[in-house]
Amino acid sequence: MEIQQLLHEKPELRQFMRQNPIWYRKITREPHLIPEMEKESNYFYGKTFPQRVEKVQNNIGLAMMMIEMLKMGKNSLG
């Protein structure tokens, strides 16, 4: 019952479990593995701290490249 409530409250976990049915079997037999499943889900969806940092770094790099392109375009016109 508590597993159903957890999956109802966290649709992302429910979707993760649908895509990885082995977790359904694991959790129904061993409910204490729920934190492990949540950790695996966070990794799958890219929500771990290192993944977030990498995403921010990529976005900053992209923004810097755009700024450099704009500067180069301005210099060639001026």
Side-chain angles (χ1 to χ4, degrees):
M1 205 56 181
E2 68 184 54
I3 296 170
Q4 287 179 339
Q5 184 176 357
L6 174 74
L7 295 176
H8 180 70
E9 292 171 359
K10 299 183 177 181
E12 203 167 76
L13 272 182
R14 183 175 57 229
Q15 185 62 33
F16 175 75
M17 192 178 279
R18 284 181 180 160
Q19 293 177 350
N20 301 280
I22 192 162
W23 276 106
Y24 178 77
R25 285 179 242 132
K26 283 183 182 181
I27 296 301
T28 53
R29 294 179 184 140
E30 302 176 68
H32 67 276
L33 292 176
I34 289 174
E36 187 178 327
M37 182 184 72
E38 289 177 321
K39 193 187 318 185
E40 186 89 16
S41 171
N42 286 338
Y43 182 77
F44 180 79
Y45 286 113
K47 291 187 171 187
T48 64
F49 185 73
Q51 289 171 317
R52 288 180 180 180
V53 169
E54 184 179 351
K55 190 183 289 187
V56 168
Q57 287 176 334
N58 288 341
N59 288 341
I60 290 172
L62 183 61
M64 295 299 287
M65 187 172 58
M66 296 288 280
I67 290 170
E68 289 300 316
M69 289 174 63
L70 287 172
K71 283 181 183 177
M72 287 174 31
K74 223 179 212 183
N75 289 341
S76 66
L77 292 175

